[in-house]
Amino acid sequence: MAKLKKFTLRPNKKKGGWDLRQDKTNKLAKHFRKKETATKRNVLRKATGGESSVKIMKENGRLQEERTYPQKRDPSSSPG
C-alpha cells in the first residue's frame, strides 16, 4: 500500500486565514479564509487529492486533531 501524502492546516499570521501545506515540500495546497470552511465535511479530502493525512492545528500552534482520508487508511494502532 502506498504511503499517504501528509498535509498540515495552520493559521497564516501574515495574510490571515488558514493555509493547507504539504509537509514534505511545504507547497501551498489551498488557502482558506476561515478554519470552519476548511474543516467542513469533505473539503480537506478534496483539497489534498484524496488519499492523505491532515494535521489540523489550533491558533496557538498546538495539534488539534489529525484526519486520514479515506478513513479506512487510518492506522489501527492510533486512538480515535
Side-chain angles (χ1 to χ4, degrees):
M1 201 177 276
K3 287 191 173 190
L4 296 173
K5 290 182 186 175
K6 296 182 186 242
F7 293 84
T8 302
L9 179 69
R10 63 176 36 127
N12 183 323
K13 305 263 187 215
K14 291 181 182 179
K15 294 181 2 183
W18 292 78
D19 287 345
L20 178 65
R21 293 188 176 271
Q22 189 169 4
D23 289 355
K24 191 173 187 178
T25 63
N26 201 34
K27 183 178 176 185
L28 180 66
K30 186 142 175 107
H31 177 79
F32 299 94
R33 290 180 62 199
K34 296 182 178 182
K35 184 178 183 181
E36 294 79 23
T37 303
T39 56
K40 281 184 184 174
R41 200 158 169 112
N42 289 314
V43 174
L44 288 173
R45 181 183 58 79
K46 290 177 184 175
T48 60
E51 294 198 5
S52 61
S53 174
V54 180
K55 287 185 255 179
I56 302 170
M57 309 306 276
K58 296 180 184 179
E59 280 278 352
N60 64 9
R62 298 185 77 176
L63 179 65
Q64 178 178 336
E65 67 177 288
E66 187 168 353
R67 296 182 184 178
T68 305
Y69 302 102
Q71 193 172 10
K72 67 181 181 182
R73 295 284 309 268
D74 194 24
S76 58
S77 61
S78 69

